[in-house]
Amino acid sequence: MSLLIHILLFQTGTTMFRTSFLLLAFMAAATSIASTDKQTYVVHMDKARITALHLALGDSKKWHEAVVDSIIELSTQDGEEVTSPPQLLYTYETAMTGFAAKLSIKQLQALEKVEGFLSAVPDELQSLHTTHSPQFLGLHKGKGLWSTHNLATDVIIGIIDSGIWPEHVSFHDWGMSPVPSKWKGACEEGTKFTSSNCNKKLIGAKAFFKGYEARAGRINETVDYRSARDSQGHGTHTASTAAGDMVAGASLFGMAKGSASGMMYTSRIAAYKVCYIQGCANSDILAAIDQAVSDGVDILSLSLGGASRPYYSDSLAIASFGAVQNGVLVSCSAGNSGPSSSTVSNSAPWIMTIAASSLDRSFPTIVKLGNGETYHGASLYSGKPTHKLLLAYGETAGSQGAEYCTLGTLSPDLIKGKIVVCERGINGRVQKGEQVRMAGGAGMLLLNTEDQGEELIADPHILPATSLGASAAKSIIKYASSRNPTASIVFQGTVYGNPAPVMAAFSSRGPASEGPYVIKPDVTAPGVNILAAWPPTVSPTRLNTDNRSVLFNIVSGTSMSCPHVSGLAALLKAVHKDWSPAAIKSALMTTAYTLDNKRASISDMGSGGSPATPFACGSGHVNPEKASNPGLIYDITTEDYLNHLCSLNYTSSQIALLSRGISFTCPNDTLHLQPGDLNYPSLAVLFNGNAQNNSATYKRTVTNVGQPTSTYVAQVQEPDGVSVMVEPSVLKFRKFNQRLSYKVSFVAMGAAAASVPSSSFGSLVWVSKKHRVRSPIAISWQ
């Protein structure tokens, strides 16, 4: 019997002697030899049992101390000699219930016997996944969501990332009102960070590194900070994208010049640093989420993630569920593993999952070859153009592997004064340019592979260089093998008016490998070539050989699209203070658009420019002004999410990991529960490709948040091979906040269905005089 049970019994007066004996055993065990085979685990505990323990202990001892005592007692019973008890790193009590600790194998086995134990997951390192953005999104100062009244509302955005550079002009608090009374957080001191670094804009900052240091060793404070100060730039960039103040005259080397602004530039920022040189430890991320919810944030923004896994073993999904239960919207990046299918991360239905697409702004270059052929590329290099120079590639540039321009492969004798052709892969884009410059090269042509297609990412190269698409790459490689090949590069600066948005090839794709019954990602937002704040001590390339200092940098990734939506969610929270996270998410999804600025379908660089499907762009590109008045919303309660887990055949113990002590059991008639009935704003249907008859019927409920008296008519674009019927096809509302339900049926059309590809897509749109409430449909044949 564990000490956890013994203490509960002791409080009822039944086993005083036994408990005292165990406490003495614990004290004796503390003098024996330590076990060294320890690993960090994130431990999930049953909240109901922990609450009961907490009440039983009173003020005499914390519940986690009692659990640690139990682990020691049980492990010593099994013969382990322990001088150091389990090393407790964090306790989690708000967004989830549990703790992170370093445990030996014996201690882990003992923990599994402790009353209230649910699961222990080995800690892992996750990876970190604007001037023109507000205008592109339709936000204008003094109007709509950017009206003075709306911007005066206090909304707190928590940024969980690599920290923040607090002195940056984007985080000044000029003219801001006092910190809201609901804020319960702190400004934690640490390396080169004091409480005075916070203000009425940056109202809180804290670093979490116990999990990281347990795995990677103590942080080297010559290259990073054991504080909330940002040494990488990523967190500063994302924080300013979501909520940075409006700064006139921002640019990178004169490019993308304009007023830089966060999406809700008057909101407060709370910075939680969890990411360091080698990555972001799960245990630290969970501690940050738990702290942020307790502190009182309204929105959480996480531009990070890892591999998909079942929700019950996904610590980020579990903690995010706890945040949503507390009314906090959680916005996460979809990942940068596109264009391969089923690569999307952060796919739990209570998380808002953000893909990345382009603005209508570009930084074009012109490459002219000696044979007269001309190609267009992209670059943020700010120097002079290169005149006609000899090209070097592969064998004419160095040893084996020189085509990738990796460390030690380029020969100074072969490339000095030449433009070197480098293929993407193995090392980073700007790292290739560094190798070329170190070997004496005068410039670089950076060539896409077939996977990157025609997507052009602009980088602030340290030498004259440009990226080029896959079609140009083939011609350039062929020409580079000819006798005395030459090329020149012209840099054209900043150009506006390109077709946009266009889906980024790197943006991770659905369908989700876990939870394919909802379409993921949810929406797309600007994530290509985004200008935002940057620490002056971090070079724009983050290369050690780059000594340039900038206040703003241009970066691409779903890490950049995520804080756009986080800031937009804050704007909607300011307008609709009583909306749930699901309601805000619904509004952003059902009002998203699928046509670009040229009135053509949003195209996808990951599929050669073909129209983007919902597995690339979700419901479409966010449209914040429309989202502020969506007409109808699809709301989802905690019980709805838990019933969804029942429909996925989760066990009671698996559901308990997420329910956090809520008294909940799956309905007896689980056979009537189906995953597709979750009241989600999109419709994902899985059909058996080998079955003779495929059909499904889903139920949805919409809430009227538009005109009190209004009528909506269903318009359906049927996916190939599938018949869709909506019943009723007309919804008549008579009052504000009225809820009406409908059913939508999907039937595969026999031989026609057999001829369609593995997925087909359509949409259901509820149309009134003032609103269009759109839900994408995705049919997957398995």
Side-chain angles (χ1 to χ4, degrees):
M1 186 181 292
S2 73
L3 183 58
L4 182 56
I5 291 298
H6 299 155
I7 291 178
L8 289 171
L9 292 174
F10 169 70
Q11 294 296 326
T12 59
T14 56
T15 57
M16 183 183 297
F17 174 78
R18 173 61 174 162
T19 304
S20 300
F21 174 78
L22 289 173
L23 289 172
L24 290 171
F26 159 57
M27 294 170 65
T31 62
S32 57
I33 299 173
S35 180
T36 59
D37 58 337
K38 288 189 175 182
Q39 182 177 349
T40 303
Y41 293 88
V42 174
V43 179
H44 300 271
M45 303 294 291
D46 187 310
K47 184 179 180 181
R49 302 296 180 96
I50 294 303
T51 300
L53 173 63
H54 181 73
L55 292 172
L57 290 171
D59 295 329
S60 62
K61 181 179 287 189
K62 300 289 187 180
W63 65 264
H64 48 82
E65 293 173 348
V67 173
V68 169
D69 288 353
S70 292
I71 296 171
I72 295 170
E73 187 262 325
L74 288 167
S75 60
T76 54
Q77 284 182 0
D78 290 339
E80 177 165 288
E81 296 181 347
V82 182
T83 55
S84 63
Q87 183 183 343
L88 190 67
L89 304 180
Y90 297 108
T91 57
Y92 311 122
E93 297 181 331
T94 305
M96 59 175 280
T97 302
F99 58 91
K102 292 190 74 172
L103 304 171
S104 67
I105 297 299
K106 290 280 189 181
Q107 290 168 347
L108 177 63
Q109 292 170 346
L111 171 63
E112 292 171 352
K113 301 174 185 176
V114 172
E115 186 75 14
F117 169 80
L118 291 175
S119 74
V121 181
D123 200 9
E124 294 179 338
L125 290 181
Q126 306 287 6
S127 58
L128 287 165
H129 286 153
T130 73
T131 48
H132 190 52
S133 294
Q135 289 74 25
F136 184 76
L137 289 165
L139 297 172
H140 301 285
K141 195 169 185 179
K143 299 179 180 179
L145 289 173
W146 271 16
S147 65
T148 302
H149 172 75
N150 193 51
L151 291 175
T153 303
D154 270 320
V155 180
I156 304 170
I157 303 178
I159 308 292
I160 297 180
D161 211 292
S162 67
I164 196 166
W165 195 263
E167 297 87 356
H168 198 284
V169 65
S170 294
F171 309 125
H172 284 186
D173 64 352
W174 298 315
M176 294 193 73
S177 60
V179 175
S181 59
K182 69 177 181 179
W183 174 246
K184 306 302 180 186
C187 192
E188 184 182 75
E189 299 195 349
T191 311
K192 296 185 178 180
F193 204 104
T194 68
S195 59
S196 63
N197 286 126
C198 290
N199 55 26
K200 291 179 288 187
K201 178 68 171 180
L202 176 61
I203 62 174
K206 188 171 184 177
F208 300 83
F209 46 74
K210 293 177 183 177
Y212 178 83
E213 289 191 333
R215 186 181 181 95
R218 186 178 174 87
I219 293 166
N220 181 353
E221 294 184 70
T222 65
V223 295
D224 206 340
Y225 307 98
R226 295 178 92 238
S227 73
R229 187 169 291 277
D230 185 9
S231 70
Q232 301 182 59
H234 193 276
T236 300
H237 198 280
T238 56
S240 66
T241 300
D245 194 14
M246 190 171 288
V247 181
S251 73
L252 175 65
F253 308 131
M255 289 179 283
K257 191 171 184 178
S259 292
S261 169
M263 297 303 100
M264 187 174 182
Y265 61 88
T266 59
S267 65
R268 319 288 180 153
I269 297 171
Y272 302 89
K273 181 176 177 179
V274 299
C275 297
Y276 301 86
I277 300 299
Q278 295 184 34
C280 327
N282 265 342
S283 56
D284 296 330
I285 296 169
L286 301 184
I289 294 175
D290 201 62
Q291 185 66 58
V293 175
S294 178
D295 288 345
V297 302
D298 299 295
I299 308 292
L300 272 176
S301 185
L302 295 93
S303 292
L304 48 82
S308 292
R309 58 187 63 197
Y311 309 143
Y312 59 80
S313 62
D314 183 340
S315 295
L316 181 54
I318 294 171
S320 296
F321 189 75
V324 170
Q325 283 179 273
N326 282 275
V328 178
L329 183 139
V330 181
S331 171
C332 292
S333 50
N336 299 331
S337 299
S340 299
S341 63
S342 297
T343 51
V344 64
S345 61
N346 300 318
S347 60
W350 45 87
I351 292 175
M352 184 123 200
T353 312
I354 319 302
S357 48
S358 67
L359 299 167
D360 63 345
R361 180 182 64 197
S362 63
F363 308 95
T365 63
I366 298 175
V367 174
K368 187 173 182 179
L369 304 182
N371 61 6
E373 294 178 356
T374 298
Y375 298 98
H376 296 274
S379 179
L380 295 172
Y381 179 72
S382 60
K384 297 179 180 179
T386 66
H387 299 292
K388 186 164 66 173
L389 297 172
L390 287 171
L391 285 177
Y393 169 72
E395 293 180 355
T396 64
S399 59
Q400 183 177 2
E403 64 270 24
Y404 293 107
C405 302
T406 52
L407 179 65
T409 61
L410 299 175
S411 168
D413 293 336
L414 293 176
I415 73 166
K416 185 176 181 180
K418 297 179 181 179
I419 295 175
V420 181
V421 177
C422 302
E423 296 182 46
R424 285 180 62 178
I426 303 179
N427 58 342
R429 300 186 303 269
V430 293
Q431 281 84 356
K432 296 177 186 294
E434 180 183 41
Q435 293 302 311
V436 171
R437 189 175 77 165
M438 290 174 64
M444 176 180 68
L445 302 183
L446 179 63
L447 306 184
N448 281 2
T449 66
E450 290 294 334
D451 283 344
Q452 289 100 33
E454 301 308 311
E455 179 175 65
L456 299 177
I457 303 297
D459 292 303
H461 295 286
I462 58 175
L463 82 170
T466 180
S467 62
L468 292 149
S471 59
K474 295 177 182 178
S475 299
I476 291 171
I477 289 174
K478 181 178 180 181
Y479 172 69
S481 302
S482 65
R483 185 175 181 180
N484 296 324
T486 61
S488 62
I489 310 172
V490 175
F491 303 94
Q492 295 186 296
T494 309
V495 173
Y496 296 91
N498 302 291
V502 176
M503 291 308 303
F506 63 74
S507 186
S508 291
R509 311 303 163 105
S513 56
E514 297 295 335
Y517 297 96
V518 295
I519 296 175
K520 289 287 182 171
D522 291 309
V523 292
T524 187
V528 178
N529 299 331
I530 303 302
L531 184 132
W534 200 253
T537 58
V538 182
S539 73
T541 60
R542 289 185 279 199
L543 297 172
N544 292 332
T545 57
D546 185 359
N547 58 10
R548 295 173 296 176
S549 175
V550 298
L551 287 178
F552 293 87
N553 199 10
I554 294 175
V555 188
S556 297
T558 55
S559 283
M560 284 65 250
S561 57
C562 170
H564 277 85
V565 174
S566 304
L568 298 181
L571 286 171
L572 295 186
K573 183 71 174 179
V575 176
H576 303 285
K577 299 176 181 60
D578 59 337
W579 276 12
S580 68
I584 294 173
K585 180 177 177 181
S586 172
L588 287 164
M589 290 175 66
T590 60
T591 58
Y593 59 84
T594 58
L595 299 179
D596 66 17
N597 57 357
K598 309 298 182 184
R599 305 304 299 168
S601 295
I602 293 174
S603 60
D604 183 2
M605 295 304 295
S607 61
S610 299
T613 74
F615 289 153
C617 66
S619 294
H621 193 282
V622 287
N623 189 349
E625 292 292 354
K626 289 282 188 182
S628 67
N629 184 17
L632 305 176
I633 56 171
Y634 293 84
D635 211 350
I636 306 176
T637 66
T638 297
E639 185 175 356
D640 292 334
Y641 286 125
L642 294 176
N643 278 325
H644 179 65
L645 301 181
C646 295
S647 73
L648 297 176
N649 296 318
Y650 278 26
T651 65
S652 57
S653 59
Q654 290 168 345
I655 292 174
L657 287 165
L658 292 117
S659 63
R660 298 184 61 254
I662 294 175
S663 179
F664 175 84
T665 55
C666 290
N668 293 327
D669 57 340
T670 53
L671 292 176
H672 293 93
L673 287 176
Q674 55 180 342
D677 277 338
L678 180 67
N679 201 39
Y680 213 69
S682 58
L683 296 156
V685 184
L686 273 62
F687 278 160
N688 183 346
N690 297 319
Q692 293 292 321
N693 298 300
N694 275 301
S695 65
T697 298
Y698 294 166
K699 179 183 177 181
R700 291 291 187 270
T701 300
V702 288
T703 303
N704 179 26
V705 295
Q707 297 297 315
T709 301
S710 52
T711 300
Y712 287 81
V713 178
Q715 293 182 356
V716 176
Q717 178 187 351
E718 294 183 332
D720 290 343
V722 177
S723 171
V724 180
M725 180 177 295
V726 181
E727 181 62 37
S729 60
V730 177
L731 298 176
K732 294 184 178 181
F733 294 92
R734 294 291 176 259
K735 59 183 179 179
F736 185 74
N737 271 341
Q738 182 181 357
R739 293 161 58 89
L740 293 177
S741 298
Y742 67 90
K743 291 184 177 181
V744 54
S745 298
F746 309 90
V747 180
M749 297 186 292
S755 64
V756 301
S758 58
S759 299
S760 59
F761 306 96
S763 63
L764 164 62
V765 186
W766 288 101
V767 181
S768 72
K769 291 181 179 180
K770 293 190 175 183
H771 300 285
R772 290 177 58 85
V773 185
R774 182 181 180 276
S775 295
I777 299 170
I779 308 292
S780 296
W781 303 83
Q782 297 184 326

